[in-house]
Amino acid sequence: MIRVNEHYAKLQSSYLFSEIAKRVKTYQAEHPAKKVIRLGIGDVTEPLPAACIAALHTAVDEMAARASFRGYGPEQGYDFLRQAIAQNDYQARGAQIDADEVFVSDGSKCDTANIQELFADKVTIAIPDPVYPVYVDTNVMAGRTGKAGKGRYKGLVYLDSTIENGFVPALPEQPVDLIYLCFPNNPTGATATREQLAAWVRYAQANKALILFDAAYEAFIRDPALPHSIYEIEGARDVAIEFRSFSKTAGFTGTRCAFTVVPKSVMAYTKKGEAVALHPLWNRRHTTKFNGVSYPIQRAAEAVYSPEGKAQTCALVDFYLGNAALIRSTLADLGFAMTGGENSPYIWVNVGKDSWKFFDKLLKRAQVVTTPGAGFGRCGQGFIRISAFNSRENVEEAMQRLRKVLK
Ligand SMILES: *Cc1c(COP(=O)(O)O)cnc(C)c1O
């Protein structure tokens, strides 16, 4: 008898985005003439930088000629891209990361989902609330949690991100083994200072714990005092794995390229307490289960680091940050408190008691779609997330509507 993985039955249905879609659909059916503006999505809207498109075309032409054709590439990524990443994203910022510590992949979603395979069944996991749902759900699937009750799974240690702590959670009171962190944060838009990250690194060192650091929104950091990578913190090479993606940096959500950094010095431990390096384990997993990102896409990603590519991706991110500034100033004028929108494409707005009620009000009276914070975790109740990923025209129109409805 083939038995099913019953841990899947514990998963709470991904209520958030399906419920939003349902409410928008119902509203549109009743009001077909109204133009709905979507500021709820976490997807980019602007085309790829010209440097990436040019590199992509050239690489496609290479595939058309026998002399330059390429078949299977190295699963970990081509050296040209791993070198460009190590030099530009790390060494240029004083972080000691070598090219062979970079694993190129087709997404940070997959990497943050798959990394948990390297750890034992019975580890204590700390997860922020509110949070990007992938970290929790993949550990539920793997059987590392109990059942859910009142929106929280038994066995997980939730790290509350609240107004009081500026949406940067405090260190846990009980010992934990695995810690998920994401800065600049989705959904709160909060950033972590050097001192705050250093405290987490010290915690991990003292507890032989591991930090999984999701830096998908690193490119949105404009404050020169904020760290872009956890490896800018002394000692992080021994206790942290970092995830990065070209999705939000350069508009690659439909193109697919990302990478994970596993330093050779980062360790996990056997039952007896012997240290085991994670780099060879991840290398083994990656080469066994993944075929590498296609050659033309890796050339497009490499172009992000050319002088033109750097200028173009910076302009692209600046464009979204311009939208974010518009959203921030409108909401500030209307008297709302918020975080994010500076160094982040997300604005996390304090709307009072009920996220869904506020969501409905904006949908029905302003035809603007946002994301109710309650969908990201218990601590998200009373907040909505507004995304800066849209055209300037749409953001301007949405803000005019909010000014009318919320004044
Ligand atoms: C968008 C996003 C990613 C990137 O995912 P990809 O699979 O690389 O597109 C990773 N983490 C968070 C928190 C995100 O919002």
Side-chain angles (χ1 to χ4, degrees):
M1 179 177 73
I2 175 63
R3 282 192 50 194
V4 70
N5 177 354
E6 291 183 46
H7 299 306
Y8 273 63
K10 295 178 198 160
L11 287 166
Q12 302 295 287
S13 61
S14 65
Y15 167 77
L16 178 61
F17 290 98
S18 57
E19 181 62 24
I20 293 173
K22 200 173 98 193
R23 292 191 191 201
V24 173
K25 200 175 156 196
T26 306
Y27 178 81
Q28 279 271 238
E30 288 165 6
H31 306 87
K34 300 272 194 197
K35 184 194 165 199
V36 171
I37 300 179
R38 289 164 202 270
L39 299 181
I41 42 162
D43 194 3
V44 298
T45 55
E46 304 308 301
L48 292 177
C52 299
I53 292 295
L56 201 47
H57 278 297
T58 306
V60 169
D61 287 341
E62 283 179 57
M63 297 300 258
R66 174 174 290 275
S68 51
F69 169 79
R70 306 210 187 199
Y72 284 122
E75 290 99 339
Q76 302 92 333
Y78 283 102
D79 227 29
F80 60 78
L81 180 55
R82 300 174 90 192
Q83 292 281 0
I85 291 167
Q87 278 163 19
N88 291 281
D89 283 328
Y90 296 102
Q91 292 157 16
R93 302 196 65 86
Q96 276 320 303
I97 295 296
D98 291 328
D100 64 354
E101 296 176 316
V102 174
F103 293 86
V104 176
S105 78
D106 62 353
S108 283
K109 182 196 203 171
C110 334
D111 289 349
T112 55
N114 291 328
I115 195 79
Q116 46 77 29
E117 280 185 31
L118 303 192
F119 312 117
D121 290 344
K122 289 188 174 50
V123 291
T124 308
I125 304 169
I127 299 204
D129 176 357
V131 75
Y132 179 62
V134 174
Y135 319 147
V136 175
D137 289 357
T138 52
N139 279 294
V140 174
M141 291 170 176
R144 287 197 191 83
T145 73
K147 289 198 175 124
K150 291 191 195 132
R152 286 192 166 185
Y153 291 95
K154 286 205 182 67
L156 292 179
V157 174
Y158 286 91
L159 304 170
D160 290 356
S161 305
T162 60
I163 297 174
E164 289 69 34
N165 59 31
F167 305 96
V168 179
L171 301 174
E173 277 152 27
Q174 71 252 66
V176 300
D177 308 310
L178 188 61
I179 301 149
Y180 287 83
L181 295 177
C182 173
F183 293 108
N185 190 264
N186 177 10
T188 70
T191 52
T193 64
R194 210 167 280 279
E195 294 67 35
Q196 286 166 327
L197 286 189
W200 279 103
V201 168
R202 283 195 298 272
Y203 176 91
Q205 288 169 326
N207 293 276
K208 290 191 170 171
L210 180 73
I211 298 169
L212 300 176
F213 191 72
D214 185 344
Y217 297 95
E218 162 279 332
F220 289 78
I221 295 175
R222 286 291 178 272
D223 180 344
L226 292 171
H228 288 236
S229 165
I230 196 154
Y231 303 121
E232 291 176 53
I233 309 302
E234 179 90 42
R237 265 190 62 87
D238 304 335
V239 294
I241 288 174
E242 181 164 294
F243 304 91
R244 292 249 190 131
S245 173
F246 295 97
S247 284
K248 319 306 177 357
T249 305
F252 273 52
T253 53
T255 307
R256 311 302 319 142
C257 197
F259 60 92
T260 290
V261 179
V262 186
K264 289 188 181 142
S265 50
V266 76
M267 298 291 159
Y269 299 86
T270 64
K271 206 171 172 184
K272 287 184 185 154
E274 298 149 329
V276 176
L278 289 174
H279 183 278
L281 266 60
W282 185 246
N283 189 60
R284 186 62 203 258
R285 200 219 83 97
H286 201 69
T287 53
T288 302
K289 297 195 179 184
F290 185 63
N291 260 325
V293 173
S294 81
Y295 172 72
I297 301 302
Q298 291 194 57
R299 282 294 185 198
E302 181 195 25
V304 167
Y305 300 102
S306 68
E308 313 77 60
K310 280 181 186 169
Q312 290 161 6
T313 49
C314 185
L316 184 62
V317 170
D318 278 342
F319 169 78
Y320 293 124
L321 286 170
N323 286 346
L326 255 170
I327 297 167
R328 275 189 67 93
S329 66
T330 305
L331 287 156
D333 286 351
L334 292 166
F336 288 92
M338 74 203 98
T339 179
E342 298 165 315
N343 309 298
S344 158
Y346 298 122
I347 298 97
W348 187 242
V349 190
N350 188 347
V351 295
K353 271 203 195 99
D354 190 325
S355 297
W356 280 105
K357 269 201 187 126
F358 199 84
F359 167 90
D360 281 333
K361 178 173 164 182
L362 293 187
L363 173 62
K364 288 177 183 161
R365 295 181 49 201
Q367 296 79 48
V368 172
V369 182
T370 56
T371 313
F376 295 103
R378 188 188 285 174
C379 292
Q381 184 58 277
F383 293 84
I384 55 159
R385 187 191 77 174
I386 304 183
S387 160
F389 292 123
N390 216 312
S391 67
R392 183 59 48 85
E393 198 186 354
N394 278 348
V395 171
E396 279 170 353
E397 189 178 335
M399 292 306 109
Q400 274 170 13
R401 293 183 191 174
L402 292 200
R403 279 186 195 276
K404 278 201 197 116
V405 167
L406 298 173
K407 72 163 184 271

